[in-house]
Amino acid sequence: SPDGKWLAYVVKDNGRTTAGDLAAWIRTGVPMWISGCDIWISNIETGATRNVTQAKGENWLPKWSPDGHYLAFLSDRDGGRQAKLWVWDPQKNDLRKISETVVRTEQIDWTPDARKILVTALPEGMSLQDYISTVEGGGGNQKSVASKAQGSTVALYESAAIRENDQDGLPPDAWNLNSHLRALSVVDVATGKTSTVVQGQRIETCKLSPDGSSVACTISKRFEKPGSQQILFDLWTVNLSTGRSQTIASDIRLAYDGAEFTWSPDSTLVSYHTGWTAVNDCYVVKASGGTSRNVTSFLPVQS
């Protein structure tokens, strides 16, 4: 917590765990590895501990507000079988769902004023079934060849053969990049009002600027070449007040999660690291747009 007195963390109860898979994650937004999880807090000074969520639903990703007044987290505890945004008020011992927004995210970011939360969510105007069809369809070259029998513990897969007339014999994409098709949304904690600032993009990673005015995010565009697992990304900045977005770097090589970028402390620059090349250089670019500048100019790695 901001005052340093409390630690929030996730505890998995193995007695409550159930088998999960990628399909269930796509359908519900609940990651397969958090089954049986609760949010706990511990007092750093006294050692007192407490289970905040009390074994109701799945609960994960706790994040204190900057003023320490709330602990935000994700949960499906309302029985709707969808990940949604919740907060706990320690002073009132009050748990509440702050929005019906269906969340699809691996991160929670508070604005510096502790009034709003930045998350990625189901694309606005898209039904859950349409979303599932889009995310599950295409990409990859594996298919399941076993139905789930009661008590089974193994899923069997086989490689999907590539026919000569399929894409002129080129291999398919390694996986479906639509797995991160989502909207970038801002949720008001007091009112629950949700504003969409980026709609229906393949948003990989988002990072809020230190002053809270803008967010930088990576958008997965395509695989570099057929059969490759290297994704090419665009790096965007989005003004949260105006909703204006712009591309500040295009077709950059990043790791699969697109997370190798960061803001400068004054929120005017964004730096990124182009890995997976012979020269892994670092670049900086103005958050308002412009030409990227190589600030390292490393020598190529000798093989």
Side-chain angles (χ1 to χ4, degrees):
S1 58
D3 63 7
K5 295 181 178 179
W6 294 92
L7 176 67
Y9 52 98
V10 177
V11 173
K12 178 187 283 288
D13 178 357
N14 289 333
R16 292 202 300 120
T17 58
T18 58
D21 55 28
L22 179 60
W25 186 8
I26 292 171
R27 291 193 304 269
T28 66
V30 181
M32 60 193 85
W33 54 84
I34 60 88
S35 177
C37 285
D38 277 304
I39 308 297
W40 285 66
I41 59 168
S42 291
N43 187 290
I44 301 299
E45 297 174 351
T46 68
T49 62
R50 177 181 176 182
N51 184 344
V52 173
T53 50
Q54 294 294 314
K56 184 177 181 180
E58 308 295 359
N59 309 274
W60 72 104
L61 207 63
K63 186 71 174 287
W64 291 102
S65 60
D67 60 3
H69 187 80
Y70 291 113
L71 179 66
F73 62 97
L74 298 182
S75 180
D76 66 350
R77 60 191 292 109
D78 65 354
R81 298 178 60 82
Q82 292 295 319
K84 294 177 183 175
L85 190 59
W86 290 67
V87 294
W88 176 59
D89 184 339
Q91 297 176 2
K92 298 180 180 179
N93 188 27
D94 179 51
L95 273 175
R96 65 183 176 93
K97 179 174 56 178
I98 64 171
S99 173
E100 290 294 339
T101 298
V102 177
V103 173
R104 291 293 184 270
T105 190
E106 295 88 47
Q107 63 186 107
I108 293 175
D109 287 305
W110 285 89
T111 55
D113 60 9
R115 295 180 177 179
K116 298 178 180 179
I117 298 175
L118 186 75
V119 293
T120 48
L122 205 70
E124 196 173 63
M126 178 178 282
S127 70
L128 179 60
Q129 189 54 53
D130 286 344
Y131 170 79
I132 293 171
S133 298
T134 301
V135 172
E136 288 185 337
N141 61 349
Q142 290 182 332
K143 64 178 181 179
S144 173
V145 296
S147 60
K148 282 191 174 181
Q150 186 174 0
S152 65
T153 58
V154 176
L156 188 62
Y157 294 86
E158 71 175 6
S159 176
I162 303 172
R163 294 171 297 186
E164 291 184 3
N165 59 348
D166 285 347
Q167 300 179 1
D168 297 325
L170 295 176
D173 289 340
W175 60 86
N176 185 2
L177 293 181
N178 283 333
S179 60
H180 281 82
L181 179 67
R182 44 198 181 175
L184 177 63
S185 301
V186 179
V187 182
D188 188 291
V189 174
T191 66
K193 181 181 178 181
T194 301
S195 302
T196 299
V197 291
V198 174
Q199 178 59 278
Q201 296 290 333
R202 294 167 173 169
I203 303 172
E204 292 288 341
T205 299
C206 296
K207 296 182 182 181
L208 191 64
S209 62
D211 64 7
S213 66
S214 302
V215 61
C217 53
T218 44
I219 310 295
S220 55
K221 292 180 67 178
R222 64 181 186 278
F223 289 95
E224 189 172 47
K225 56 186 179 180
S228 169
Q229 295 188 30
Q230 175 62 61
I231 304 172
L232 298 181
F233 295 87
D234 280 353
L235 179 60
W236 286 16
T237 53
V238 185
N239 185 290
L240 295 181
S241 297
T242 65
R244 181 175 179 268
S245 63
Q246 57 188 335
T247 302
I248 61 173
S250 298
D251 295 328
I252 56 178
R253 280 171 139 246
L254 301 173
Y256 74 96
D257 58 357
E260 295 89 353
F261 67 96
T262 188
W263 284 91
S264 62
D266 63 1
S267 301
T268 63
L269 300 171
V270 179
S271 67
Y272 60 92
H273 170 243
T274 57
W276 316 101
T277 63
V279 181
N280 300 327
D281 278 318
C282 296
Y283 294 78
V284 295
V285 60
K286 290 182 178 179
S288 58
T291 302
S292 297
R293 179 167 56 91
N294 188 335
V295 295
T296 52
S297 299
F298 293 131
L299 295 175
V301 175
Q302 300 297 319
S303 59

